[in-house]
Amino acid sequence: MIPNHDVMKFSFFLFLFSLVSFSNFFAQEEAWVYLVDKENVSFALANPAIILTQKAIDRKNRHNVSIDFRDVPVNENYVSQLKSSTGITVKAKSKWFNAVHVLGSQTDIEALETLSFVSQIEFVNRSLNQDKSISLKRGSKFEEVLTTFNYGNAANQIEMFNGDDLHALNYTGDGMTVAILDSGFPGVNTITAFARVRDAGDILGSYDFVNRDADVNTNTTSNHGTLVFSDMAGYIEGQFVGTAPDASYYLFITEDATSETPVEESYWVEAAERADSLGVDIINTSLGYSDFDGTKYDYSQSDMNGQTTFITRGANIAFEKGMFLVTSAGNSGNWGVTAPADSPNVLSIGAVDASGNYATFSSVGTMYQTSQKPDVVAQGQLSYVITENNVIGAANGTSFSAPILAGGIACLWEALPNKTNAEIMQLVRASASQFNSPDSFLGYGIPDLQAALNTALSIEDIANKTNAIQLYPNPVKDSFWVTLSDGSENYSLRVFNILGRLVLEKQIAKVDSKIDLSSLKSGMYLISIISKNQSKIFKILKK
């Protein structure tokens, strides 16, 4: 039979096409595509029944296993966009790793890096990763876990009380609400230093109690509120980071910068009442009252007794309502603290310089206060702030030591959400540098908020006899210790990096065991300690 040449030609091309397709099939690569964030995390964690069965919730509660970011599902909108990407097939997804397993050519997979919601790509073929450094995009949850802010000018004022260690543990104020009671806030609605907090929707509201309107940004009689706010929420990439950049804020004007009259105390109480009704956690007050226009309204030193002035009495009620009040001690030096810093229910903040030495303008405690005043100190001499013109500058005053520390306390309370305002206050005081020998200049001294967190976690472990496993110190330099409640059990200790990879595993049985991490890179790790009867997960920072 004479062959049909057209058929033979077609068969030949079909054969070539098959070879090409076959070759392309084997050119396919597999990779994990890590995503930057998830949807509605805070809401999901507050309402775990929407992401977990009740049985799962009960089991976690029974074994003291926290429900966290990893339990929240992957953002399905991101998954859909990956599915529609050229040459990409989605094979699987993981909420724990916030990642999607994809199939495609190396070129098509690498093209996914241009998508704004893609944090990192890791090829299954590890040779393809050799020339790739891990670069996490700003805004990703993994970046937040490994928060390594470049604080620029603001570095010393947060490092002084180890607030940067809380940031590194991903405690940046998220979920905490702060009300700032001050004077004007010009520029907050426009300058780039507040773009981060604005874009996140974290300025929840504002009100001018002096002029009775909601506009706090066009009040040009004072920029004091803007400077104060910058120390908590200001953010200029590589140059400045506030102490609670991810907290939510209400901005209230209660101070009339054109005069000094007793009605401002009433404005303050009104604002505190509104803050309470809005569910505010922390009130920062960089204001103090003792002298007014004229003399007939002036307070004496003996009035600074924690119960006389109207604003102080209001502060006492605010504390009873569960809010944490952070207040400037005042800039009156030897005259003494001003109201409401005289209240025993207010954490009054004095000022030191960058080296931790007493700043001579900082108000001292006197015989008239019923509790230690000031309570603690933070940097208030040559503190860095951001002006309404988006310029970083230095300023003096307990007006700035107060918000600098208030932001750190917001991060501490985020880490310890079950603590009361009184318990957080005591943790801060007890962590300070001269807690056992306070004086009228520095009070209990400079707090160590990382130590306060470690103390609280250790106390919780001891109190919970069914899960009394302790890990210390945290952060870790080269090694840490694990203290077990029961030396008769065998425990499995596993160390995971932030991508969920197991990097260390060992069995421990001693009551006190030293774990060497010197071979691991700096960063965040999860420590899982499990026995037949107990289990616990720790989050640690390796420096």
Side-chain angles (χ1 to χ4, degrees):
M1 181 178 180
I2 300 174
N4 185 320
H5 292 285
D6 289 336
V7 172
M8 290 178 64
K9 188 184 299 184
F10 175 79
S11 299
F12 177 73
F13 283 121
L14 182 61
F15 175 73
L16 286 180
F17 178 78
S18 298
L19 285 178
V20 172
S21 299
F22 194 69
S23 174
N24 285 343
F25 177 81
F26 280 101
Q28 299 284 283
E29 298 291 344
E30 296 184 56
W32 292 284
V33 178
Y34 294 91
L35 308 176
V36 297
D37 56 18
K38 294 180 177 182
E39 283 187 305
N40 304 319
V41 174
S42 297
F43 180 77
L45 296 183
N47 301 275
I50 68 175
I51 58 174
L52 296 168
T53 65
Q54 189 59 49
K55 187 174 186 296
I57 295 171
D58 293 342
R59 177 176 53 79
K60 289 176 181 289
N61 290 338
R62 186 166 59 252
H63 297 293
N64 197 30
V65 176
S66 62
I67 299 172
D68 57 28
F69 173 83
R70 293 169 298 174
D71 294 300
V72 180
V74 172
N75 187 324
E76 287 299 330
N77 180 49
Y78 295 162
V79 176
S80 296
Q81 292 184 60
L82 289 174
K83 288 180 177 178
S84 63
S85 298
T86 302
I88 297 298
T89 301
V90 171
K91 303 296 291 183
K93 58 188 177 183
S94 168
K95 66 179 182 181
W96 287 353
F97 294 98
N98 196 23
V100 177
H101 191 120
V102 301
L103 180 69
S105 70
Q106 181 178 350
T107 300
D108 288 339
I109 292 175
E110 289 176 339
L112 299 177
E113 290 180 322
T114 63
L115 297 175
S116 62
F117 58 83
V118 173
S119 170
Q120 178 198 349
I121 293 174
E122 181 185 5
F123 283 94
V124 176
N125 180 354
R126 286 175 290 179
S127 66
L128 299 179
N129 297 319
Q130 290 177 356
D131 297 327
K132 290 179 173 290
S133 60
I134 296 177
S135 177
L136 302 181
K137 295 182 180 178
R138 183 180 169 193
S140 75
K141 186 66 180 181
F142 288 124
E143 182 204 43
E144 292 172 8
V145 173
L146 275 178
T147 303
T148 53
F149 289 129
N150 183 346
Y151 294 94
N153 300 95
N156 189 78
Q157 58 202 43
I158 187 171
E159 291 171 356
M160 182 175 286
F161 53 80
N162 288 332
D164 56 320
D165 286 340
L166 298 187
H167 285 186
L169 291 169
N170 195 31
Y171 301 122
T172 54
D174 187 30
M176 300 300 297
T177 304
V178 180
I180 298 178
L181 280 54
D182 215 282
S183 55
F185 296 90
V188 168
N189 60 331
T190 57
I191 65 174
T192 58
F194 296 111
R196 190 177 194 271
V197 67
R198 288 197 309 266
D199 293 346
D202 281 332
I203 300 179
L204 302 181
S206 61
Y207 191 74
D208 182 344
F209 287 85
V210 177
N211 295 304
R212 300 297 171 180
D213 64 61
D215 185 1
V216 300
N217 304 121
T218 57
N219 184 332
T220 58
T221 58
S222 174
N223 68 345
H224 192 266
T226 301
L227 306 183
V228 167
F229 187 35
S230 73
D231 276 330
M232 301 183 76
Y235 186 92
I236 299 177
E237 185 75 35
Q239 300 179 58
F240 191 101
V241 181
T243 51
D246 293 324
S248 298
Y249 295 91
Y250 287 100
L251 307 180
F252 295 145
I253 292 179
T254 64
E255 166 75 3
D256 185 348
T258 64
S259 63
E260 193 77 349
T261 60
V263 70
E264 293 166 46
E265 295 184 73
S266 296
Y267 294 151
W268 187 96
V269 172
E270 279 190 295
E273 291 171 356
R274 183 172 297 190
D276 177 51
S277 69
L278 292 168
V280 164
D281 301 300
I282 296 172
I283 290 178
N284 179 82
T285 305
S286 289
L287 306 168
Y289 297 95
S290 60
D291 296 329
F292 296 100
D293 295 342
T295 59
K296 64 180 180 179
Y297 299 122
D298 289 354
Y299 291 121
S300 66
Q301 277 194 340
S302 61
D303 290 324
M304 299 296 140
N305 56 17
Q307 57 186 4
T308 295
T309 71
F310 188 75
I311 190 172
T312 296
R313 285 182 281 148
N316 290 336
I317 295 174
F319 178 79
E320 290 175 15
K321 295 296 184 181
M323 290 183 288
F324 191 113
L325 290 91
V326 181
T327 300
S328 301
N331 301 323
S332 301
N334 288 329
W335 189 90
V337 299
T338 52
D342 61 319
S343 167
N345 300 313
V346 163
L347 194 76
S348 57
I349 315 301
V352 294
D353 63 17
S355 299
N357 301 312
Y358 170 70
T360 56
F361 57 79
S362 183
S363 291
V364 301
T366 68
M367 61 181 290
Y368 298 107
Q369 283 82 62
T370 59
S371 63
Q372 175 65 53
K373 295 295 172 181
D375 289 271
V376 291
V377 291
Q379 185 172 344
Q381 183 170 321
L382 296 181
S383 304
Y384 282 95
V385 297
I386 304 172
T387 72
E388 71 274 26
N389 298 314
N390 212 55
V391 175
I392 298 174
N396 293 329
T398 57
S399 285
F400 310 113
S401 58
I404 287 169
L405 187 55
I409 291 170
C411 300
L412 177 65
W413 208 355
E414 176 196 357
L416 300 167
N418 295 323
K419 296 295 183 184
T420 66
N421 56 350
E423 289 171 329
I424 293 293
M425 189 178 292
Q426 183 56 26
L427 283 168
V428 173
R429 289 170 175 153
S431 75
S433 56
Q434 52 183 48
F435 178 68
N436 294 319
S437 55
D439 59 40
S440 297
F441 298 94
L442 305 185
Y444 293 114
I446 300 171
D448 182 340
L449 298 191
Q450 177 62 56
L453 175 59
N454 287 343
T455 296
L457 295 176
S458 296
I459 290 172
E460 286 180 356
D461 282 341
I462 293 170
N464 184 358
K465 298 301 183 181
T466 63
N467 200 10
I469 302 173
Q470 298 180 68
L471 184 153
Y472 61 92
N474 188 7
V476 176
K477 185 176 181 181
D478 293 316
S479 59
F480 65 87
W481 288 85
V482 176
T483 298
L484 306 174
S485 59
D486 185 356
S488 65
E489 284 195 76
N490 289 319
Y491 290 77
S492 173
L493 182 145
R494 296 179 178 180
V495 181
F496 300 87
N497 65 15
I498 60 163
L499 299 181
R501 296 199 198 96
L502 181 65
V503 295
L504 177 66
E505 182 175 15
K506 65 183 306 178
Q507 300 296 313
I508 55 176
K510 294 181 179 179
V511 172
D512 293 301
S513 300
K514 186 177 183 180
I515 309 300
D516 184 7
L517 295 185
S518 59
S519 63
L520 300 183
K521 296 179 180 179
S522 299
M524 179 65 57
Y525 294 89
L526 292 178
I527 312 295
S528 170
I529 303 176
I530 301 173
S531 72
K532 181 179 179 181
N533 298 312
Q534 298 188 59
S535 68
K536 189 158 188 182
I537 294 177
F538 296 88
K539 182 166 56 177
I540 67 166
L541 174 66
K542 168 73 165 56
K543 286 192 166 183

